[in-house]
Amino acid sequence: MSEPSHPSSDWRRFIAISALLVIGLAAAPLWADRAGLRLLGEMYSLLTLALLWNLLAGYAGLLSVGQQAFVGIGGYTLFSATIFLGVSPYVAILLGIVLAALAAALFAPLLFRLEGAYFAIGSWVAAETIYLVFTMIPQLGGGAGMSLPAAVVRGIAEDRSTREFIIYWLLLAAGTGTLFGAYALLRSKVGLALTALRDNPTAAASLGIDIWRAKFWTYVGVAAAVSAVSSLIFLQKLRISPASGFSLNDWTVTIIFIVVIGGIGRLEGAIVGTAVYFLLREFLANLGPVYMIVLGTIAIITMIFARRGIWGFLEARFGWSLLPTTRLPPHEDKI
Amino acid sequence: MSSDEIALEVVGLCKAYGALSVTKDVSLTVRAGEAIGIIGPNGAGKTTLFNLFTGIIRADAGRISFFGQDITTASARSRCHMGITRSFQVPQPFGGMTVFENTLVAAAFGQKLSQREARAPAAEALQRTGLWPKAQLRAGEITLLDRKRLELARSIATAPRLLLLDEIAGGLTESECQELVALIRKIHSEGTTIIWIEHVLHALLSIVDRVIVLDFGQKIAEGDPATIMKSPEVSSIYLGLEAESAHG
Ligand SMILES: Nc1ncnc2c1ncn2[C@@H]1O[C@H](COP(=O)(O)OP(=O)(O)OP(=O)(O)O)[C@@H](O)[C@H]1O
Ligand SMILES: [Mg+2]
């Protein structure tokens, strides 16, 4: 068990190390080439989605298999608002956040009637329905999708590399913002409720926790954040189609893989899982379709032998904790 | 100890699981400040009654009111906020959280306090139940006996008006049992109304003002402890219980 003896000095060290890391990553345009920046940006976006899915499934008990719905909504709002309303990409991102939150708020009362596996299936069906609706709108290019006009892209910055730097920084901000935001959330009273919910929903309700409300705001908040990071992803890709925007594989299966092998119900799990995923992908990419089979096998083995994932294993074995949320009891003389 | 004010009033409560009727037309009245014992053989429907009182399950028929307010359809959460808390017979800890965090949840959400404000009552509940030395252990890793203590500690931390205790004395040594009885007596003397389901009869009878006997989901007897334990309806069950508590 971790027992930081000087929480304040621990804090200072934690903040110093995090600040150095973030500054180092923010300076990546100085030390990384174009491909390197893209890879890092992709890592941040998957890390963000993994952190968010972990909040949903690992804490609020919402095993969603339909997060691609909010990725699609975020991406399509960016394209259609900039093209049809003529607003700047930044305004379009905000619009996407609002729309995804609204969609989640509408889904929630229906989906929350379903428990466990039924919720998972329900969330997937809802996402498929939205996907089909988007394929049928001719203005959005139907199944072929649409491209972001050059004029809109130039709204970010005139030249290509500045644009890429800005998108990189926005993705870095999304990743670090989500990581520290989720950390702050879990240390707050809401986080206390979510952690209790994670461990025992029956006891949580009996002790006065409003489970429905905790789940609702987690679901809506996560949808909004997913939409925001999705807008950034498609701002970089410059093209969207229903198949790419609402991809079950890219936006949910991959993310579940990351969280499961890293460690569900732990913030650190998403970080470790993302790192492992990218390592595997670099080494196994030339295997072709076999690559997916290898990933699936690894996930199944992890679920059988280390149910809390790699980080859960390390935490239990060595008492490690990178982002501790444990509340220490008061000193005896202070009670 | 008890006043004329009525804490809990239950009328015609019924609950069935499919064809199995586990609560049959149960009515009872508990005055504020009273301590009531519930006894009965295994499967008599005692825990089910607590599930109905706390809103974990809904009654098929009947009415429950708490300090004059109808709570028949109220949620488990709002009943907790009104002041009804129970310990679970099968402990339900937040296994990944520490023992201290378990009582912190109870104090923060049961009493609607901020995390900072909840620290003191959370720590106090651990001290009163003897769990303070284990405050920093994960609740999933403590012994079954400690988990039962944690049930009591969490209940206390919500500052309940009505405390429902479900078999918390089983498995304790004689001195531990005496400590537990002393603690419950203290909580009772502070004005908390108590309903206690217990197979360890000598512990139960040293506290309660009144005993209710359940069998096959029905209330078969009710009265002051001395009379009830001598009544013919109870003696068969009573003998069974004593034999059992001697084993535990
Ligand atoms: N969810 C459920 N579904 C079906 N039957 C149930 C359920 N919960 C309880 N029962 C049944 O209801 C009956 C009463 O159970 P209950 O737990 O209330 O008994 P009890 O008096 O608390 O027994 P014990 O002394 O063993 O704790 C039992 O026959 C039990 O099997
Ligand atoms: Mg029982």
Side-chain angles (χ1 to χ4, degrees):
Chain A
M1 198 189 59
S2 66
E3 198 174 340
S5 46
H6 303 290
S8 55
S9 77
D10 266 19
W11 259 115
R12 239 169 284 144
R13 199 171 43 178
F14 173 73
I15 290 170
I17 294 176
S18 320
L20 278 178
L21 211 65
V22 173
I23 291 170
L25 291 174
L30 298 176
W31 53 260
D33 60 2
R34 175 162 281 158
L37 281 186
R38 262 187 172 263
L39 184 66
L40 282 172
E42 198 191 347
M43 282 173 124
Y44 304 153
S45 57
L46 290 197
L47 171 66
T48 308
L49 292 173
L51 285 164
L52 293 168
W53 192 78
N54 194 14
L55 279 181
L56 273 190
Y59 287 88
L62 296 167
L63 223 76
S64 170
V65 192
Q67 289 310 98
Q68 65 275 21
F70 307 112
V71 174
I73 289 175
Y76 267 103
T77 309
L78 172 74
F79 283 58
S80 37
T82 48
I83 294 169
F84 301 123
L85 304 179
V87 298
S88 89
Y90 301 111
V91 174
I93 292 174
L94 292 179
L95 258 175
I97 289 176
V98 173
L99 284 179
L102 276 177
L106 284 176
F107 284 160
L110 301 171
L111 291 178
F112 287 8
R113 290 166 183 270
L114 307 171
E115 297 271 339
Y118 293 98
F119 172 85
I121 294 166
S123 65
W124 181 48
V125 170
E128 284 296 296
T129 311
I130 297 188
Y131 159 72
L132 287 175
V133 169
F134 274 82
T135 58
M136 289 184 300
I137 302 175
Q139 287 81 359
L140 302 181
M146 58 210 300
S147 303
L148 211 53
V152 172
V153 180
R154 275 199 296 275
I156 305 253
E158 273 303 321
D159 72 304
R160 183 175 166 191
S161 23
T162 316
R163 211 153 53 220
E164 282 173 350
F165 293 165
I166 290 177
I167 293 172
Y168 171 83
W169 284 321
L170 286 173
L171 282 170
L172 176 63
T176 46
T178 307
L179 181 60
F180 293 110
Y183 185 45
L185 179 78
L186 288 178
R187 290 178 63 96
S188 74
K189 192 177 168 186
V190 176
L192 194 64
L194 285 176
T195 313
L197 196 56
R198 172 194 76 182
D199 285 358
N200 196 322
T202 309
S206 301
L207 292 171
I209 292 175
D210 191 338
I211 291 184
W212 203 91
R213 209 175 75 176
K215 286 186 170 184
F216 180 81
W217 288 114
T218 308
Y219 190 64
V220 171
V222 164
V226 165
S227 168
V229 72
S230 156
S231 308
L232 298 178
I233 294 171
F234 284 98
L235 192 55
Q236 190 173 47
K237 287 191 193 291
L238 302 176
R239 262 203 74 73
I240 194 167
S241 68
S244 66
F246 293 92
S247 164
L248 173 70
N249 253 331
D250 293 350
W251 311 125
T252 297
V253 175
T254 305
I255 300 302
I256 294 178
F257 171 82
I258 289 175
V259 176
V260 166
I261 57 164
I264 196 163
R266 269 131 197 88
L267 279 184
E268 296 93 335
I271 304 173
V272 174
T274 305
V276 170
Y277 171 76
F278 276 90
L279 279 176
L280 286 173
R281 206 179 72 174
E282 293 304 299
F283 286 119
L284 302 176
N286 48 6
L287 287 181
V290 179
Y291 157 69
M292 283 306 275
I293 298 173
V294 174
L295 284 194
T297 312
I298 291 174
I300 290 169
I301 291 175
T302 317
M303 280 191 274
I304 294 172
F305 294 105
R307 295 209 61 177
R308 294 179 189 168
I310 296 171
W311 187 263
F313 173 77
L314 295 174
E315 189 186 66
R317 187 69 184 268
F318 304 107
W320 288 358
S321 191
L322 213 58
L323 300 165
T325 54
T326 306
R327 284 107 179 139
L328 296 175
H331 287 291
E332 201 147 6
D333 46 303
K334 283 198 193 144
I335 329 169
Chain B
M1 188 69 44
S2 62
S3 69
D4 291 336
E5 197 180 3
I6 288 167
L8 185 74
E9 183 166 38
V10 175
V11 182
L13 214 56
C14 295
K15 177 72 194 178
Y17 286 110
L20 180 70
S21 189
V22 289
T23 305
K24 294 177 201 152
D25 194 24
V26 171
S27 300
L28 57 92
T29 303
V30 181
R31 289 189 302 279
E34 243 188 326
I36 304 277
I38 296 182
I39 61 171
N42 292 114
K46 305 181 296 294
T47 299
T48 304
L49 223 44
F50 276 10
N51 290 341
L52 290 165
F53 294 170
T54 52
I56 299 243
I57 58 173
R58 290 291 144 83
D60 301 331
R63 197 167 50 74
I64 309 173
S65 57
F66 185 60
F67 284 97
Q69 202 173 342
D70 191 315
I71 58 162
T72 313
T73 57
S75 66
R77 173 181 58 94
S78 59
R79 293 186 207 199
C80 171
H81 287 150
M82 287 177 191
I84 305 179
T85 312
R86 60 96 63 88
S87 72
F88 288 94
Q89 179 180 358
V90 178
Q92 304 282 336
F94 301 121
M97 304 172 90
T98 65
V99 167
F100 172 69
E101 286 175 312
N102 270 259
T103 50
L104 190 69
V105 169
F109 291 94
Q111 296 193 49
K112 295 191 180 172
L113 301 175
S114 72
Q115 284 197 94
R116 186 178 294 274
E117 293 163 338
R119 292 168 62 78
E124 193 196 317
L126 292 181
Q127 288 185 323
R128 294 186 77 175
T129 49
L131 275 174
W132 179 248
K134 301 187 172 142
Q136 300 203 51
L137 297 183
R138 295 225 171 275
E141 287 159 8
I142 59 178
T143 63
L144 177 64
L145 221 56
D146 281 336
R147 268 182 256 178
K148 285 187 154 199
R149 282 201 185 99
L150 183 55
E151 283 294 323
L152 179 60
R154 255 187 353 195
S155 308
I156 300 175
T158 65
R161 297 165 83 188
L162 172 62
L163 177 58
L164 307 173
L165 300 171
D166 197 349
E167 297 195 25
I168 52 169
L172 298 182
T173 67
E174 190 46 45
S175 73
E176 285 170 337
C177 193
Q178 274 167 19
E179 275 174 41
L180 178 70
V181 166
L183 174 60
I184 293 172
R185 185 172 287 129
K186 180 92 200 314
I187 294 166
H188 183 220
S189 74
E190 289 163 2
T192 307
T193 310
I194 289 172
I195 307 180
W196 187 3
I197 296 172
E198 191 54 72
H199 283 317
V200 183
L201 290 178
H202 67 90
L204 181 74
L205 297 177
S206 67
I207 297 271
V208 298
D209 312 314
R210 196 151 53 98
V211 175
I212 289 170
V213 188
L214 277 189
D215 197 13
F216 292 110
Q218 261 170 326
K219 190 169 88 174
I220 58 163
E222 175 173 5
D224 72 278
T227 327
I228 282 294
M229 298 322 294
K230 282 192 221 103
S231 74
E233 298 102 309
V234 174
S235 55
S236 58
I237 298 164
Y238 171 66
L239 287 173
L241 288 176
E242 276 302 76
E244 194 181 308
S245 67
H247 284 286

